[in-house]
């Protein structure tokens, strides 16, 4: 059995039992059964499965870990958290998040006016709202409105001009006012592709001189009592704990010094996000070198020691870490449409009465290959193919000979893999690295996995079933966009092996895991492919199947997509109808039939509509 590194990345959220992937709790339903259930309801194409219980699991883990560290170090400050909406603003994520965290001090973070409206509408009572990012006077006014609504809201200032706007808006509103936070620009930074979020040249935050100016400005305008928080962020996906420790020391000392400068209402340190998610399927490529308990322990201990040494009270700790909360809750399921080498079977051979000698030799190699001579014959076949392709380029063999060459070599490769499938043979692995099977998936990587093609972010991928059978094909994955970047190529350092299946006779689904953070909100409509059909899976041991499918949101129809990008869909329909009616070669009955077919297609979603083999 191949486990696809599930013990490295899943945290038992998903497990393998009986050769299939299952949810790792409650009644342990199999993902393949859930997928078949939804497809029986007529939904085709890619699917996005949401598991609300995994949202709660992650929230509980963070609160439990920090609570434990606070108790261990007798820390006097409180722990609070906010979810940054930029990570996932989708309602079928946000609404369960809010509902499942109402017993905790867990709020929302907004970075735009639209996100702030969401936070004002849905944040639980007595839970915090923080506002980051650049703000104009209107957005600041929204913050004042939120405070008047009774929200515990903190406007985090990115520049002195924003602070001046707050002072102006404060004259237009009555109390209560929002609290004020200052984002500090640290010298410390993270590592990796998100490191530019921190450091002295980062996009956001105030340097030391600006911090002192901000304190003076607040004091001058009698608003210093509103300054309650400092905030920093050294980057998403912090793989190593040491940069965070350095940042905590720097931020902790700034906190203490600002209090000594008169900011006595400063009681909170927001350490931002960055808590890493382990995406790797391969033990040599870990994405973080620390545990959650180490993370919380280092945060609490570092701030406690600085506060103690500086003789200042221990601050309340705020954390964002949206990736950690959101990533695990969503799984992308992509049906495999085609294996490209399956066109190469014996039926495709069109041998002549008299074939070129090298093709005759290839045929003999294929017919006489066995386990003992498999590697030798494989090498011979590849050499023969190179020679025959050269002969084709020189005009000595024709296109049928070339076709027979390609078919015979692929038949040899498949036979070798089958003969040696139970052996960990270095040579066969090397050959597989050179000659991969290409799996065509009914999805768009640009839409559903934008961080893969944009940032080379890897996501765990594995078949949903057949996990009690050894996969034999080194796999490259192609999506259905007409773009060469729509490919996850085989990587010898992070190899993916899949099963050799005949998808004309049986279905084969791949699951991409940990896709719940950023992927949906960053996905682009390349070729006008849109969000896949999504639904939530609520586990319930009282139900016959152990789960309930809720909140189904089907992928947009073609007309919906065109309407979203501001086409006049009524005009499109009119023009299409006119074109059909103008065709003199069609009779009235044909025109009516074609128009009816066209209207049906316009109301379908944009993904390829495959039919389950068992339905044929």
């Amino acid at each position: 059995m191949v486990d696809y590194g599930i013990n490295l990345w899943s945290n038992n959220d998903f497990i393998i039992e009986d050769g299939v992937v299952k949810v790792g709790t409650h009644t342990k339903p199999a993902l393949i059964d859930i997928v078949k259930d939804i497809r029986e309801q007529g939904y085709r194409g890619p699917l996005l499965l949401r598991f609300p219980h995994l949202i709660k699991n992650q929230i509980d883990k963070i609160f439990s870990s920090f609570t434990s560290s606070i108790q261990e170090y007798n820390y006097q400050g409180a722990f609070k958290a906010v979810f940054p909406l930029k990570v996932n603003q989708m309602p079928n994520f946000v609404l369960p998040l809010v509902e499942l965290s109402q017993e905790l001090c867990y709020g929302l973070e907004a970075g735009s006016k639209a996100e702030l409206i969401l936070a004002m509408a849905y944040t639980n009572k007595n839970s915090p709202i923080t506002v980051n990012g650049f703000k104009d006077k209107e957005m600041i006014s929204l913050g004042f409105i939120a405070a008047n609504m009774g929200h515990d809201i903190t406007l985090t200032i990115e520049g002195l001009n924003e602070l001046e706007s707050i002072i102006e808006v404060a004259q237009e509103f009555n109390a209560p006012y929002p609290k004020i936070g200052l984002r500090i620009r640290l010298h410390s930074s993270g590592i990796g592709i998100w490191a530019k979020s921190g450091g002295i040249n980062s996009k956001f935050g105030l340097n030391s001189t600006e911090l002192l100016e901000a304190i003076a400005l607040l004091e001058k305008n009698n608003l210093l009592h509103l300054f309650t928080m400092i905030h920093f962020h050294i980057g998403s996906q912090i793989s190593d704990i040491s940069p965070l420790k350095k940042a905590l020391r720097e931020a902790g000392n700034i906190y203490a010094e600002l209090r000594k400068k008169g900011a006595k209402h400063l009681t909170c340190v927001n350490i931002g996000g960055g808590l890493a998610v382990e995406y790797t399927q391969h033990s040599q490529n870990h994405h973080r070198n620390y545990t959650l308990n180490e993370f919380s322990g280092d945060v609490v201990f570092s701030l406690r020691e600085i506060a103690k040494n500086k003789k200042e009270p221990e601050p309340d700790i705020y954390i964002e870490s949206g990736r950690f909360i959101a990533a695990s809750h969503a799984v992308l399921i992509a049906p495999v449409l085609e294996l490209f080498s399956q066109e190469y079977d014996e039926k495709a051979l069109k041998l002549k009465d008299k074939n070129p000698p090298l093709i005759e030799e290839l045929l003999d190699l294929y017919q006489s290959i066995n386990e003992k001579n498999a590697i030798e014959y494989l090498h011979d076949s590849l050499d023969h193919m190179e020679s025959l392709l050269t002969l084709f380029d020189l005009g000595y063999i024709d296109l049928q000979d070339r076709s027979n060459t390609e078919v015979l070599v692929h038949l040899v490769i498949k036979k070798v893999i089958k003969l040696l499938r139970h052996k960990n043979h270095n040579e066969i692995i090397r050959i597989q690295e050179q000659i991969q099977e290409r799996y065509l998936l009914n999805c768009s990587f640009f839409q559903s996995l934008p961080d893969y093609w944009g940032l080379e972010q890897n996501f765990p991928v594995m078949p949903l079933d057949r996990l009690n059978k050894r996969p034999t094909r080194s796999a490259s994955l192609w999506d259905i966009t007409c773009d060469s970047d729509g490919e996850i190529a085989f990587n010898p350092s992070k190899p993916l092996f899949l099963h050799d299946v005949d998808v004309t006779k049986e279905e084969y689904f791949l699951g991409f895991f940990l896709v719940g953070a950023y992927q949906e909100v960053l996905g682009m409509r390349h070729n006008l492919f849109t969000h896949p059909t999504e639904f939530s899976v609520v586990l319930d041991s009282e139900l016959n199947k152990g789960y309930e499918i809720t909140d189904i949101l089907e992928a947009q129809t073609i007309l919906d997509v065109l309407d979203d990008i501001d086409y006049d869909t009524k005009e499109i329909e009119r023009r299409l109808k006119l074109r059909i009616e103008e065709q003199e070669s069609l009779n009235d009955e044909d025109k009516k039939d074609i128009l009816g077919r066209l209207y049906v297609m316009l109301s379908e979603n944009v993904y390829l509509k495959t039919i389950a083999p068992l339905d044929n």
Side-chain angles (χ1 to χ4, degrees), residues 577-588:
K577 182 179 180 182
L578 181 62
R579 292 289 176 88
I580 292 171
E581 291 176 345
E582 289 176 342
Q583 296 304 306
E584 296 180 358
S585 60
L586 299 175
N587 60 41
D588 290 344

Side-chain angles (χ1 to χ4, degrees), residues 59-60 62-63 67 78-83 97-98 100-108 123-129 152 179 316-319:
I59 296 172
D60 289 346
I62 280 188
F63 273 83
T67 299
F79 174 72
K80 302 177 182 181
V82 291
F83 178 82
L97 172 92
V98 171
L100 293 168
S101 62
Q102 56 187 323
E103 300 300 322
L104 300 167
C105 192
Y106 190 67
L108 298 173
T123 300
N124 287 315
K125 189 176 181 180
N126 299 323
S127 291
I129 296 175
D152 175 10
K179 298 173 184 175
D316 291 347
I317 299 169
Y318 279 69
I319 190 173

Side-chain angles (χ1 to χ4, degrees), residues 564-609:
D564 273 1
I565 58 174
D566 295 327
Y567 278 97
D568 184 341
T569 54
K570 294 298 182 183
E571 171 67 7
I572 289 175
E573 291 182 66
R574 186 192 68 79
R575 293 172 68 90
L576 291 171
K577 182 179 180 182
L578 181 62
R579 292 289 176 88
I580 292 171
E581 291 176 345
E582 289 176 342
Q583 296 304 306
E584 296 180 358
S585 60
L586 299 175
N587 60 41
D588 290 344
E589 194 64 31
D590 287 341
K591 291 177 182 178
K592 183 178 179 180
D593 179 63
I594 291 173
L595 189 60
R597 289 172 182 265
L598 183 58
Y599 281 149
V600 169
M601 292 178 188
L602 290 174
S603 65
E604 299 282 359
N605 71 53
V606 294
Y607 289 99
L608 303 187
K609 194 171 183 181

Side-chain angles (χ1 to χ4, degrees), residues 534-559:
E534 68 167 74
F535 56 94
S536 297
V537 183
V538 179
L539 303 187
D540 188 343
S541 57
E542 299 295 321
L543 297 174
N544 183 40
K545 293 182 178 180
Y547 64 87
E548 178 183 10
I549 292 175
T550 65
D551 301 321
I552 297 175
L553 180 61
E554 190 170 5
Q556 287 181 298
T557 68
I558 293 172
L559 285 178

Side-chain angles (χ1 to χ4, degrees), residues 47-326:
L47 303 170
L48 187 75
L49 282 63
R50 299 189 191 277
F51 293 92
H53 76 279
L54 295 181
I55 302 173
K56 180 167 174 51
N57 280 1
Q58 297 302 97
I59 296 172
D60 289 346
K61 285 178 184 178
I62 280 188
F63 273 83
S64 175
S65 183
F66 271 90
T67 299
S68 177
S69 295
I70 285 172
Q71 292 174 347
E72 178 181 356
Y73 294 110
N74 194 27
Y75 191 81
Q76 299 306 302
F79 174 72
K80 302 177 182 181
V82 291
F83 178 82
L85 286 166
K86 67 181 181 181
V87 177
N88 195 323
Q89 302 112 340
M90 298 302 176
N92 286 337
F93 169 79
V94 173
L95 301 186
L97 172 92
V98 171
E99 180 182 353
L100 293 168
S101 62
Q102 56 187 323
E103 300 300 322
L104 300 167
C105 192
Y106 190 67
L108 298 173
E109 180 268 324
S112 69
K113 295 173 189 175
E115 288 184 349
L116 181 50
I117 289 294
L118 285 179
M120 292 163 62
Y122 290 110
T123 300
N124 287 315
K125 189 176 181 180
N126 299 323
S127 291
I129 296 175
T130 61
V131 185
N132 296 333
F134 295 112
K135 294 168 280 294
D136 62 6
K137 188 174 179 180
E138 185 179 42
M139 187 170 178
I140 288 170
S141 296
L142 274 177
F144 276 76
I145 292 172
N148 276 260
M149 291 168 58
H151 282 298
D152 175 10
I153 183 170
T154 302
L155 299 177
T156 304
I157 303 309
E158 309 289 353
L160 291 175
N161 62 318
E162 292 183 7
L163 190 54
E164 292 169 353
S165 294
I166 284 181
I167 293 169
E168 289 181 29
V169 174
Q171 297 171 3
E172 303 173 7
F173 282 84
N174 295 319
Y177 291 161
K179 298 173 184 175
I180 295 173
L182 299 180
R183 181 157 176 170
I184 56 178
R185 183 176 297 177
L186 302 178
H187 277 271
S188 307
S189 63
I191 56 177
I193 57 177
W194 288 285
K196 63 183 180 180
S197 298
I200 198 61
N201 295 315
S202 63
K203 180 179 178 181
F204 298 106
L206 284 70
N207 59 32
S208 299
T209 302
E210 291 169 325
L211 285 172
L212 294 175
E213 289 181 28
I215 295 297
L217 192 59
L218 285 167
E219 189 171 24
K220 178 182 176 181
N221 289 276
N222 298 316
L223 295 176
L224 188 57
H225 63 286
L226 298 178
F227 172 43
T228 61
M229 178 187 291
I230 59 172
H231 172 264
F232 70 88
H233 178 62
I234 62 171
S236 181
Q237 194 66 358
I238 301 171
S239 59
D240 191 280
I241 197 69
S242 55
L244 177 65
K245 288 177 159 180
K246 183 179 178 183
L248 285 166
R249 288 193 294 270
E250 189 177 351
N253 280 294
I254 290 174
Y255 158 79
E257 289 298 315
L258 288 174
R259 283 187 56 85
K260 292 183 186 302
K261 292 290 184 182
K264 295 302 182 182
H265 289 85
L266 172 58
T267 57
C268 307
V269 173
N270 185 338
I271 69 171
L275 177 57
V277 170
E278 185 58 82
Y279 288 99
T280 190
Q281 293 184 266
H282 302 88
S283 58
Q284 71 274 21
N285 294 301
H286 285 290
H287 288 106
R288 75 179 192 191
N289 71 347
Y290 55 88
T291 65
L292 175 57
N293 288 338
E294 289 172 328
F295 182 91
S296 64
D298 283 340
V299 171
V300 171
F301 179 80
S302 297
L303 292 177
R304 188 197 71 166
E305 289 302 291
I306 292 169
K308 178 181 177 182
N309 293 336
K310 294 283 187 175
K311 295 182 171 54
E312 293 291 344
E314 295 162 4
D316 291 347
I317 299 169
Y318 279 69
I319 190 173
E320 294 171 5
S321 294
R323 182 188 298 271
F324 182 84
I325 298 297

Side-chain angles (χ1 to χ4, degrees), residues 339-380:
L339 278 66
F340 279 88
S341 78
Q342 289 190 340
E343 61 195 70
Y344 300 114
D345 58 26
E346 291 189 8
K347 295 177 182 178
L349 277 175
K350 299 291 186 288
L351 295 171
K352 303 174 181 176
D353 292 335
K354 184 172 178 59
N355 299 289
L358 284 177
I359 290 182
E360 292 289 351
E361 291 182 26
L362 269 177
L363 180 61
D364 182 63
L365 289 171
Y366 170 59
Q367 292 174 338
S368 59
I369 196 168
N370 56 48
E371 184 176 335
K372 185 176 181 180
N373 61 29
I375 295 299
E376 178 188 351
Y377 281 20
L378 178 58
H379 287 162
D380 291 344

